[in-house]
Amino acid sequence: MASSTSLTRAEVAAMIDHTLLAPEATPAQVGALIEDARMLGVLAICVSPSMLPVRAPGLVVATVAGFPSGKHHSLVKGAEARLAVDQGAAEVDMVIDVGAARAGDYTAVLSDIVTVREAIGDRALLKVIIESAALPDEAIVQVCRVAERAGADFVKTSTGFHPAGGASAHAVRLMAETVGDRLGVKASGGIRTAEAAAELIAAGATRLGLSKSREVLDGFPS
C-alpha cells in the first residue's frame, strides 16, 4: 500500500475533482469552490448542472447527470448531460440505474450509458458512477465491462449520497483490474484523509472526487 508520504501534494492535487454537490449549495458557495480549487492547484471542479455555466479559467469543469439516484429515464439523463456540455461542462459523471445492475439486467445498463454517450458525443469525458458499495463483486465487474463497451472514459465508485457507503480500496482494485489502463477509475465518497486517498490511489484510482480536498492535501508533503 502506498503511504501518504510516497506521493506529493502536487501529484495528488492533479488527480482531484474538487466537488460541491450538496442540494443546498448556493452560487456564492460555487464561487468560493472555484477560488479554493485555484489555490489548491486541483485539476477540476464538479458542481450540479443547475449551477452551470460557471467561469473557472484553468480548471476542468465537471458536472453530474441522473444524480444521485440514477433512476431518471435514460433520455432525461442524456438531455441533462447534453445541456450541461452546451453550458461548458468538459466532463459528465452519470449515475447508472443501480437497481438494473443489482437485477443483472446489464443490457439496460448498457443502453443507459450509450444514451448519454451519444447525447454528448466526443465533446466531453464520460464517467460512469456505479455505486460500488451497493453492488456485489460480480456486478461491479460486469458493470465496468458494460461501461467500457458503451464508450465511457471512466468508471467511478460512488455518488457519496448512497446509504451503502462510498469508495473502498477493494472496489477500486476490482474496477481497475477489470478496465486495465483503457479507462480511468475515479474514487469518490467518504474520502476525508490523506491515508484514505493514498490507499485508493495504490488500489488503482486515477482520479479522486473530494469535498474535503484541503484536509486531504494537507496530509501530503510538498
Side-chain angles (χ1 to χ4, degrees), residues 124-198:
L125 288 182
L126 178 60
K127 308 193 201 86
V128 174
I129 306 173
I130 72 171
E131 290 294 20
S132 56
L135 299 178
D137 286 1
E138 176 60 20
I140 291 173
V141 171
Q142 292 300 329
V143 171
C144 286
R145 289 174 177 166
V146 162
E148 183 173 2
R149 284 178 57 200
D153 299 291
F154 277 77
V155 285
K156 174 179 171 181
T157 60
S158 324
T159 60
F161 287 77
H162 198 285
S168 71
H170 171 74
V172 167
R173 190 172 296 110
L174 196 58
M175 294 162 70
E177 289 171 353
T178 302
V179 303
D181 60 1
R182 300 178 301 280
L183 274 66
V185 177
K186 179 175 173 179
S188 66
I191 308 167
R192 298 183 178 89
T193 66
E195 290 72 24

Side-chain angles (χ1 to χ4, degrees), residues 3 10 45 63 151:
S3 70
I45 58 163
T63 192

Side-chain angles (χ1 to χ4, degrees), residues 13-49:
M15 301 171 68
I16 290 176
D17 292 359
H18 191 41
T19 302
L20 177 61
L21 294 170
E24 68 273 17
T26 66
Q29 288 174 310
V30 171
L33 179 86
I34 293 168
E35 290 306 311
D36 202 31
R38 288 200 185 101
M39 289 188 291
L40 293 171
V42 300
L43 174 69
I45 58 163
C46 185
V47 298
S48 299

Side-chain angles (χ1 to χ4, degrees), residues 47 83 96 107 151 184:
V47 298
L83 176 60
I96 65 164
T107 299

